[in-house]
Amino acid sequence: MPTVAPYDFDSHVEWAGFIADEPVFATVEGAVHFPTRKADVFSIHDGLLSAVPTLKGDVLLSGGEDGRVVATTPSRGQQIYHQTRKWKEKQAAGPKSAHAKANRP
């Protein structure tokens, strides 16, 4: 039988899914929550616009109003790209760690 677990957040959830077999929620305020780890919340953006898991499902790639692209795992968030004054609005994850992003000026 499937497990259903309710979680409450203070802002709108932009993306929900699983990373490395753990539930993950990315909110528009720029936080990535791993609620089964209780204390694991990563503040990764000043305004999250997009999020997409890698094809392996082990990393969440996110883009924000701050012009950053961040790779988040259950243990940490790490900036992998930055471009000032460009919103990272849409993203796609591809094979062999390929990553595509669309900017909005």
Side-chain angles (χ1 to χ4, degrees):
M1 175 165 232
T3 301
V4 177
Y7 298 108
D8 292 321
F9 301 101
D10 292 335
S11 67
H12 175 75
V13 174
E14 177 66 26
W15 183 88
F18 289 84
I19 297 297
D21 295 328
E22 295 191 39
V24 181
F25 300 87
T27 63
V28 295
E29 69 183 10
V32 175
H33 300 261
F34 289 84
T36 58
R37 294 173 169 249
K38 302 205 190 246
D40 285 353
V41 177
F42 300 99
S43 295
I44 56 170
H45 291 287
D46 291 330
L48 181 128
L49 295 171
S50 61
V52 62
T54 59
L55 293 182
K56 288 183 181 178
D58 58 345
V59 177
L60 180 66
L61 300 171
S62 60
E65 295 175 8
D66 52 10
R68 298 171 63 225
V69 174
V70 177
T72 304
T73 66
S75 58
R76 69 183 182 141
Q78 179 179 354
Q79 176 178 299
I80 59 172
Y81 182 81
H82 181 255
Q83 185 177 12
T84 56
R85 290 186 251 143
K86 296 286 186 182
W87 288 12
K88 303 304 173 211
E89 202 168 49
K90 303 292 180 198
Q91 298 186 73
K96 298 181 183 177
S97 300
H99 177 234
K101 61 197 163 301
N103 296 332
R104 185 170 127 195

